[in-house]
Amino acid sequence: MTIKSILPGLIGTAALIYTLTFAAAQEYLIALLAFALGFIWLLLEIKRLKPPATLFFLFFVGLAIIGCVQDGPVLLMLLGLSSTLAAWDLSRFQSRATLDGEIEMTAGFEERHLRRLAIVAGAGFLLALLPLLATLPMNFVVLAVVLLVTMSVLRRAFLTLRQTTPEEVD
Amino acid sequence: MTSALRLLLGLIFAVILVGVATLHRSVLALAIPLLAYVFAALLRRPEALALDVRREVTPDYAPQGAPITIRLTITNQGAAIDELAVQDVLPEGVRQIDGQAAMVTFLDPHDQVELEYTIAAHRGAYDTYEVEVAARDFMSFFERPASYRTTPQLIVHPHYPKLERIKIRPPQTRGFAGPIGARQGGSGVDFWGVREYQSGDPQRQINWKLAARPDQKLYTNIFEQERVADVGIILDARQRVDVVTTSGSLFEHSVHAAAALAENFLEDGNRVSLVIYGSGMGRVFPGYGRHQRERILKALSRARPGINYALENLASLPTRFFPAKSQIVLVSPLSPDDIPVIIRMRALGYAVMVISPDPISYEAALYQDFSSPAYHLAFAERDFMLRQIRRSGAQVLNWRVDQPLQTAVREILTRQPPIIHVQGGAWA
């Protein structure tokens, strides 16, 4: 299995999930949009035309949010989101590792990345299922405070991780 | 922190805000896979790089245009690197012809990766090379770039054509056998004179025509000794006489000519020295043979036209650097104020040969302009200048660089130079 075969599969899976989900909810316009953009992204990836993968990723995340807000099947939305996230990562990986149209990677590098991505995506999906399966009674205010604190901590943590200047070594 | 990470963080915040605003637990759950992704990148963030970079250049001394193999070995002496992008930066004047000079890979501790590719380079000395690396986590959210400098030396010397033997005749020669007439009698090929017969002289050298005289004395033919000589090559590297066009520069032709001449004279066993006169005065002291050729080619590899106001004309040439009455070969496009210097060299007793790449025809060829009044005027001026130099007794080759040097040399310089008699003795 290589990126060339997995990436189209992931894009196809995400586009299909959102198309069918929104079609079932009779949101035909959104379904059509999901199908069309998924098809375009797939085509650009197959032809290696350097697609704006980030835009497609944001669109599909937006679809996942809309689906959840409209009380759509959360499991499918999570699956679609995980597929989109993995597709976005692989698209970026492919563009990083490609120089002048040719992949210039060492042997085993691709498999290693796929393995790690599978672990992270799978773990994220399962972790996201937990709060949906276990119901905890919680005051909304407490919940909002917890979330805002989490966001603040995250922000501070990443402000300390600014990119360093290039090192020059003789 | 890359822009992709910033985007993802912004997305996580947006999802959480929407979840809180709409009071939908499922929307909040969408943030979890994104958070998991970010935390995985955080855990695999690259640490400070500890890479050992070694470069091998084979061969490290090559003629211009010859293929040269570069092997770059990178060893990881630090923590594991999920993704390492390596780009070997080619110096100016070098072009890649085969292999790969860039790579993306992973490196565990003590692992090693090799890049091998082939280049061709212009004439020059290449001392410093840079390798740009970037270590990233496997999602490329964190990047740690670094630049490594390696210093194996590569010298690319000018390629030069093989010339036919150039006949020179300096007033003074050295004590070793060679191809140049020494103006002394002894063993040789060219007839020099006669002397009285002495017992032990070979019979075949007896001059029987003189022996037929009534005085009944015998005379022996003697021949001119052939020896090696001192040859000083001066390469004019003044920027003001150089002509630079889109297709190259006249100076490159001068360098190739100097290399070909040095090879030619050294092959005959002569002692050859070199002065590169331009932004400074580069010198290669006189020497013989293969090692001297390498020294001269290395000096020519580094030669560049330059400006030095103290060396604007040839008057500052250190003629004392050249042994008295030796052969001087000046490779220069020439300018009118060089004429007195050449005449002075002749007056000091040097035999002078001028190989002058023609700047007029070189520039005219660029514009295909051989019929304009400006071209004819410039041509006439140059012709007049060269005649003045020839009148001083110097050999002059006006070399149109579109013509191979071998052809130009064969037509003019492979004939014996004329002996010009002046008051007080014979000069050549």
Side-chain angles (χ1 to χ4, degrees):
Chain A
M1 295 283 270
T2 62
I3 290 176
K4 272 186 206 168
S5 53
I6 293 174
L7 179 55
L10 289 168
I11 296 170
T13 303
L16 205 61
I17 287 171
Y18 292 122
T19 304
L20 293 174
T21 308
F22 283 101
Q26 296 176 338
E27 297 277 359
Y28 298 115
L29 189 62
I30 298 174
L32 191 62
L33 206 57
F35 181 80
L37 284 175
F39 180 76
I40 293 168
W41 189 6
L42 186 65
L43 208 62
L44 291 174
E45 288 291 350
I46 289 169
K47 291 193 181 296
R48 298 253 199 107
L49 292 174
K50 294 196 182 171
T54 303
L55 288 175
F56 290 114
F57 168 65
L58 288 173
F59 172 75
F60 281 115
V61 170
L63 284 182
I65 294 172
I66 293 170
C68 289
V69 166
Q70 290 182 347
D71 295 321
V74 180
L75 189 68
L76 289 176
M77 292 298 107
L78 275 172
L79 194 61
L81 177 73
S82 297
S83 301
T84 307
L85 188 59
W88 177 60
D89 177 85
L90 288 181
S91 179
R92 287 173 57 238
F93 175 80
Q94 207 168 54
S95 65
R96 280 199 311 277
T98 307
L99 298 161
D100 297 330
E102 292 298 320
I103 304 283
E104 305 277 3
M105 291 186 286
T106 52
F109 184 46
E110 198 176 303
E111 286 80 17
R112 195 172 152 126
H113 184 87
L114 286 170
R115 237 185 347 262
R116 290 186 176 187
L117 179 64
I119 293 169
V120 172
F125 177 73
L126 291 171
L127 280 171
L129 285 179
L130 286 177
L132 302 174
L133 297 172
T135 310
L136 293 170
M138 193 179 283
N139 187 302
F140 170 73
V141 171
V142 169
L143 178 63
V145 165
V146 164
L147 283 168
L148 286 170
V149 165
T150 308
M151 283 163 63
S152 173
V153 164
L154 270 177
R155 183 179 170 275
R156 286 193 74 93
F158 287 108
L159 279 174
T160 65
L161 297 172
R162 289 207 178 140
Q163 192 170 349
T164 56
T165 52
E167 302 166 14
E168 276 211 15
V169 181
D170 279 344
Chain B
M1 196 189 298
T2 60
S3 55
L5 178 59
R6 288 194 192 96
L7 171 82
L8 204 57
L9 288 174
L11 195 59
I12 292 169
F13 284 130
V15 167
I16 292 174
L17 277 171
V18 168
V20 169
T22 57
L23 299 176
H24 269 89
R25 189 173 55 168
S26 54
V27 175
L28 291 173
L30 290 178
I32 295 173
L34 303 175
L35 276 167
Y37 201 66
V38 169
F39 275 113
L42 196 60
L43 283 173
R44 301 298 304 177
R45 191 162 51 92
E47 295 175 14
L49 291 176
L51 299 175
D52 177 44
V53 180
R54 287 180 201 274
R55 183 188 299 272
E56 256 178 56
V57 180
T58 317
D60 57 2
Y61 179 69
Q64 189 172 341
I68 297 162
T69 304
I70 306 283
R71 185 179 289 116
L72 190 71
T73 307
I74 300 174
T75 309
N76 184 12
Q77 290 171 343
I81 301 171
D82 283 347
E83 193 174 302
L84 183 72
V86 180
Q87 171 80 52
D88 202 6
V89 179
L90 297 179
E92 204 179 313
V94 170
R95 63 182 174 88
Q96 185 181 343
I97 53 179
D98 197 16
Q100 55 185 81
M103 179 189 275
V104 180
T105 184
F106 64 93
L107 271 187
D108 289 329
H110 306 295
D111 254 3
Q112 169 171 304
V113 70
E114 263 189 22
L115 272 179
E116 187 171 313
Y117 60 99
T118 311
I119 60 168
H122 287 310
R123 173 185 71 86
Y126 300 90
D127 297 335
T128 309
Y129 307 80
E130 271 200 15
V131 183
E132 287 175 356
V133 302
R136 305 177 190 125
D137 60 283
F138 73 100
M139 288 155 194
S140 184
F141 283 162
F142 299 96
E143 186 174 280
R144 194 180 278 267
S147 179
Y148 289 82
R149 217 169 275 139
T150 56
T151 54
Q153 196 172 61
L154 168 64
I155 292 179
V156 179
H157 65 76
H159 64 76
Y160 49 88
K162 183 94 177 133
L163 303 177
E164 284 182 29
R165 174 179 282 172
I166 296 173
K167 293 195 190 315
I168 56 173
R169 199 175 170 81
Q172 196 142 301
T173 54
R174 297 192 64 79
F176 307 111
I180 300 165
R183 298 186 186 82
Q184 288 179 26
S187 61
V189 177
D190 296 330
F191 178 76
W192 181 250
V194 292
R195 61 166 169 76
E196 276 195 26
Y197 175 82
Q198 290 166 7
S199 121
D201 285 346
Q203 278 194 356
R204 64 176 184 280
Q205 286 183 0
I206 293 173
N207 193 319
W208 295 109
K209 276 189 179 174
L210 282 178
R213 283 186 181 177
D215 62 2
Q216 294 182 346
K217 276 187 183 172
L218 287 177
Y219 294 91
T220 304
N221 291 330
I222 54 173
F223 300 91
E224 188 178 18
Q225 283 190 39
E226 290 178 334
R227 293 198 180 156
V228 295
D230 277 301
V231 180
I233 298 175
I234 302 170
L235 174 65
D236 188 351
R238 295 173 296 168
Q239 198 168 73
R240 70 185 189 94
V241 299
D242 189 21
V243 176
V244 180
T245 65
T246 48
S247 56
S249 84
L250 201 61
F251 181 69
E252 290 302 313
H253 294 279
S254 298
V255 170
H256 295 150
L261 291 164
E263 166 76 8
N264 190 280
F265 293 126
L266 283 168
E267 221 174 55
D268 282 345
N270 297 303
R271 192 169 80 147
V272 179
S273 58
L274 174 71
V275 169
I276 300 173
Y277 188 88
S279 58
M281 241 184 299
R283 301 175 209 205
V284 177
F285 286 88
Y288 298 93
R290 190 166 45 91
H291 291 298
Q292 181 68 357
R293 186 188 67 197
E294 301 307 315
R295 280 185 223 115
I296 288 174
L297 287 177
K298 282 180 181 170
L300 290 174
S301 303
R302 293 186 166 90
R304 293 280 178 272
I307 298 175
N308 187 327
Y309 295 109
L311 305 177
E312 270 216 330
N313 61 52
L314 295 179
S316 304
L317 257 178
T319 45
R320 298 278 180 217
F321 180 69
F322 305 110
K325 297 184 181 178
S326 60
Q327 176 74 49
I328 288 180
V329 179
L330 173 63
V331 183
S332 168
L334 292 176
S335 73
D337 52 1
D338 297 333
I339 301 172
V341 178
I342 297 170
I343 294 173
R344 189 168 72 90
M345 282 186 204
R346 288 288 298 136
L348 287 171
Y350 292 103
V352 178
M353 177 188 294
V354 178
I355 312 289
S356 182
D358 185 355
I360 311 300
S361 60
Y362 183 68
E363 202 163 352
L366 183 68
Y367 302 107
Q368 289 301 305
D369 172 28
F370 294 100
S371 55
S372 68
Y375 170 76
H376 288 300
L377 189 64
F379 181 83
E381 275 183 349
R382 180 170 169 82
D383 190 49
F384 177 66
M385 176 180 68
L386 296 179
R387 279 197 217 184
Q388 285 185 287
I389 296 171
R390 283 193 187 102
R391 266 205 293 272
S392 72
Q395 275 182 290
V396 178
L397 168 61
N398 182 34
W399 176 34
R400 283 186 61 148
V401 297
D402 52 357
Q403 185 188 36
L405 181 64
Q406 308 94 297
T407 311
V409 162
R410 189 184 307 131
E411 284 171 8
I412 307 290
L413 299 179
T414 52
R415 296 193 289 265
Q416 192 69 19
I419 298 173
I420 299 171
H421 293 276
V422 296
Q423 248 183 341
W427 286 35

